[in-house]
């Protein structure tokens, strides 16, 4: 028995000497670990995320031995393919980052087995501090692969200076934009009033179609292959409403992002991500270089008449590529840091995103926003959070590549459709051509 005890004590001493029996922290401020990162929060050097990282590196990072090094800044629509190229070691593409922001569908394409499960790095009590729907949005199966740092939704931006002139002449108001019926009516009136200019550019028309269809009682309109059931009559009815408005020239699929079209006076409204506010200017600059104040207004997405407001739940989250236990621990420290309640709200308040902590929305009421446009946005986000039902975006592998192909096709044909409608062709028949384009995407 004494020999057994001696062997046990010797083994215990060796355990502490060589491994620390797993209690020894993996981080060492004297030998800091560097995590490379790709993010999508503004491609300018002085982006809100870069400022947050700089603060982290000087404080918690220095204390614990963690350095975050941003090696690429992109946008949410492009980062998925860049990550796949990095994973495949495509020549000329930067190495796979340790930390990156992407959609759940992008994470699924990278392979969930290659990513950290944040459930293993956060306690249940810690996770209870986050909005459950936001955590659920980052799950692939049972794995929390995409950690919520901020979330976005889609809103309707309106150039207030232009809209006020139009509204006075045509007896319309912002209240008319609260339903899709009113939205389409306003768009038609603006087309007439402006001499043939579209009212609104849509960044993500498919989401508007989906939310409208769901409000009208459409059941699941996705197939097992992760695409659309073209035999769903309610979904097609919703598509045709938007397609006819496109064919008539009343609305357009945006030229990549609607904010550019609003800022150049091509349209006076845009439906896009709440984070689009980062890219709006305070003035409209017309083709002849004349300018006028923007007076940007932000209202909720229109809803289907006599139905509850449905909004999209969008936005990327934080992923960590599996490498070492030390880097995993460092990633968790950084994730906690940027989602701490007060800090997280300060971050999102300058980016157009929603915070991820419970109760943070209450801070909106008393927060001094940097501009009236941001105040308008967050007043709307508060309203949306209180009254709307959030619908998760599709997360099928390869889904967005198909959607972008659809949007490219619509952009290519929409001017011809409008011209043909002006020459007397039937809008419903023209809209059918967009439906056939949709059906051809595989």
């Amino acid at each position: 028995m004494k020999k057994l005890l001696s062997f046990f004590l010797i083994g215990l001493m060796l355990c502490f000497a060589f491994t620390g029996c797993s209690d020894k922290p993996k981080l060492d401020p004297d030998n800091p670990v560097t995590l490379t990162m790709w993010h999508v929060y503004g491609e300018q050097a002085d982006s809100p995320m870069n400022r947050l990282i700089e603060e982290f590196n000087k404080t918690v990072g220095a204390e614990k031995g963690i350095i975050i090094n941003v090696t690429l800044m992109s946008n949410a629509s492009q980062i998925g393919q860049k990550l796949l190229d990095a994973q495949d070691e495509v020549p000329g593409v930067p190495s796979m980052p340790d930390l990156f922001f992407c959609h759940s569908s992008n994470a699924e394409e990278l392979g969930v087995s290659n990513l950290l499960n944040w459930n293993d790095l956060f306690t249940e009590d810690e996770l209870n501090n986050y909005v459950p729907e936001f955590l659920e949005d980052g799950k692939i199966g049972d794995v929390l692969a995409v950690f919520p740092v901020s979330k976005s939704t889609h809103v309707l931006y309106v150039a207030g200076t232009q809209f006020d002139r139009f509204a006075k002449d045509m007896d319309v108001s912002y209240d008319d934009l609260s339903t899709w019926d009113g939205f389409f009516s306003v768009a038609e009136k603006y087309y007439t009033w402006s001499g043939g200019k579209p009212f609104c550019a849509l960044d993500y028309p498919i989401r508007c179609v989906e939310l409208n269809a769901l409000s009208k009682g459409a059941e699941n309109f996705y197939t097992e292959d992760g695409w659309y059931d073209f035999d769903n009559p309610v979904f097609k009815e919703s598509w045709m409403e938007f397609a006819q408005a496109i064919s008539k020239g009343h609305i357009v699929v945006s030229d990549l992002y609607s904010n550019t079209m609003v800022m150049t006076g091509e349209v006076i409204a845009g439906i896009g991500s709440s984070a689009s506010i980062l890219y709006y200017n305070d003035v409209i600059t017309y083709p002849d270089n004349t300018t006028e104040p923007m007076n940007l207004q932000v209202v909720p997405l229109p809803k289907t008449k006599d139905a509850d407001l449905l909004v999209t739940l969008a936005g990327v989250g934080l992923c960590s590529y599996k490498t070492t236990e030390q880097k995993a621990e460092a990633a968790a420290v950084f994730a906690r840091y940027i989602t701490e309640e007060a800090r997280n709200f300060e971050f999102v308040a300058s980016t157009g995103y929603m915070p991820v902590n419970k109760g943070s929305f209450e801070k909106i009421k008393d927060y001094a926003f940097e501009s009236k446009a941001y105040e308008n946005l967050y007043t709307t986000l508060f309203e949306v959070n209180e009254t709307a039902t959030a619908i998760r975006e599709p997360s099928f592998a390869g889904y967005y590549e198909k959607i972008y192909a659809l949007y490219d096709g619509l952009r290519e044909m929409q001017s011809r459709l409008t011209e043909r409608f002006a020459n007397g062709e039937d809008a419903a028949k023209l809209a059918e051509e967009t439906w056939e384009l949709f059906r051809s995407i595989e």
Side-chain angles (χ1 to χ4, degrees):
M1 186 68 176
K2 288 182 180 180
K3 282 187 178 182
L4 288 174
L5 182 60
S6 297
F7 282 128
F8 172 76
L9 290 173
I10 291 171
L12 189 63
M13 291 172 65
L14 289 172
C15 176
F16 278 110
F18 293 104
T19 71
C21 281
S22 76
D23 289 333
K24 182 180 178 180
K26 300 176 181 65
L27 301 174
D28 181 358
D30 294 327
N31 295 286
V33 58
T34 297
L35 301 182
T36 55
M37 174 188 279
W38 292 4
H39 74 72
V40 298
Y41 293 94
E43 297 187 55
Q44 69 275 23
D46 188 37
S47 80
M49 178 57 73
N50 285 353
R51 293 196 297 271
L52 196 61
I53 290 169
E54 183 179 0
E55 176 191 329
F56 173 83
N57 285 340
K58 289 179 178 178
T59 56
V60 174
E63 176 188 336
K64 293 185 176 293
I66 306 168
I67 299 171
I68 306 296
N69 180 29
V70 177
T71 56
L72 186 142
M73 291 178 283
S74 182
N75 60 63
S77 66
Q78 297 178 359
I79 199 165
Q81 186 58 52
K82 291 180 178 179
L83 287 164
L84 288 173
D85 289 344
Q87 187 180 53
D88 292 340
E89 299 181 350
V90 173
V93 177
S95 300
M96 191 71 191
D98 299 303
L99 291 171
F100 52 90
F101 289 85
C102 70
H103 295 285
S104 295
S105 58
N106 303 138
E108 190 169 2
E109 289 175 318
L110 291 169
V112 68
S113 61
N114 295 316
L115 307 176
L116 291 182
N117 183 353
W118 296 105
N119 282 327
D120 297 335
L121 301 167
F122 282 71
T123 67
E124 185 174 344
D125 285 343
E126 286 177 320
L127 292 175
N128 283 337
N129 292 322
Y130 298 91
V131 177
E133 292 84 358
F134 295 174
L135 291 173
E136 191 65 30
D137 192 46
K139 287 185 177 180
I140 301 174
D142 295 328
V143 176
L144 181 56
V146 186
F147 197 81
V149 171
S150 61
K151 301 302 293 184
S152 66
T153 190
H154 298 164
V155 292
L156 174 58
Y157 294 97
V158 183
T161 302
Q162 292 178 313
F163 186 83
D164 289 345
R165 289 196 298 267
F166 156 63
K168 182 179 179 181
D169 288 348
M170 300 298 287
D171 192 28
V172 300
S173 70
Y174 288 101
D175 288 341
D176 294 322
L177 300 175
S178 64
T179 67
W180 286 119
D181 287 345
F183 171 85
F184 289 128
S185 175
V186 168
E188 182 175 12
K189 290 178 180 179
Y190 180 77
Y191 183 83
T192 301
W193 178 82
S194 65
K197 294 175 65 175
F199 170 69
C200 184
L202 281 63
D203 287 346
Y204 313 104
I206 193 64
R207 286 304 282 163
C208 298
V209 171
E210 289 179 323
L211 296 175
N212 186 37
L214 287 170
S215 294
K216 291 185 173 184
E219 297 181 357
N220 183 25
F221 38 70
Y222 299 115
T223 66
E224 293 181 358
D225 298 328
W227 196 227
Y228 290 93
D229 177 7
F230 294 107
D231 293 326
N232 187 303
V234 181
F235 179 73
K236 182 180 180 181
E237 176 190 345
S238 180
W239 172 270
M240 293 296 284
E241 286 185 58
F242 288 86
Q244 287 196 49
I246 290 173
S247 299
K248 294 175 181 178
H250 299 169
I251 63 175
V252 293
V253 180
S254 63
D255 183 11
L256 190 58
Y257 292 114
S258 57
N259 63 285
T260 301
M261 300 181 71
V262 175
M263 292 189 298
T264 55
E266 297 173 72
V267 296
I268 67 167
I271 291 179
S273 167
S274 56
S276 297
I277 199 166
L278 275 171
Y279 305 100
Y280 271 94
N281 295 332
D282 295 330
V283 297
I284 302 167
T285 303
Y286 294 99
D288 63 359
N289 286 326
T290 59
T291 63
E292 69 175 336
M294 173 75 72
N295 185 24
L296 187 66
Q297 303 297 307
V298 189
V299 296
L301 208 63
K303 66 177 183 177
T304 303
K305 186 178 180 180
D306 299 325
D308 293 333
L309 176 61
L310 301 183
V311 296
T312 193
L313 179 59
V316 297
L318 182 65
C319 294
S320 182
Y321 210 64
K322 277 185 181 178
T323 51
T324 67
E325 290 186 6
Q326 183 190 41
K327 286 191 173 184
E329 184 175 329
V333 170
F334 181 71
R336 290 187 184 92
Y337 178 86
I338 60 175
T339 58
E340 184 273 327
E341 184 173 324
R343 184 175 296 107
N344 188 232
F345 182 80
E346 288 289 335
F347 168 66
V348 300
S350 62
T351 60
Y353 287 88
M354 295 182 286
V356 298
N357 293 90
K358 293 177 180 177
S360 291
F361 279 92
E362 293 299 321
K363 297 181 182 295
I364 293 174
K365 297 177 181 178
D366 303 315
Y367 190 79
F369 290 97
E370 62 184 52
S371 71
K372 186 64 177 177
Y374 274 77
E375 182 181 331
N376 292 339
L377 171 65
Y378 277 90
T379 298
T380 289
L381 291 180
F382 183 86
E383 177 185 344
V384 166
N385 185 60
E386 291 287 305
T387 63
T389 299
I391 306 297
R392 182 181 183 180
E393 287 191 320
S395 58
F396 307 114
Y399 172 83
Y400 286 100
E401 285 77 7
K402 294 180 181 179
I403 285 297
Y404 296 144
L406 172 62
Y407 292 169
D408 286 342
L410 289 172
R411 291 187 188 101
E412 195 274 332
M413 71 189 304
Q414 61 188 0
S415 61
R416 295 198 307 273
L417 294 175
T418 301
E419 183 178 348
R420 290 166 59 190
F421 174 74
N423 289 331
E425 294 193 45
D426 182 64
K429 290 183 178 179
L430 295 172
E432 282 287 351
E433 294 184 23
T434 71
W435 181 250
E436 291 308 311
L437 168 70
F438 194 1
R439 290 174 61 94
S440 71
I441 304 294
E442 297 178 353

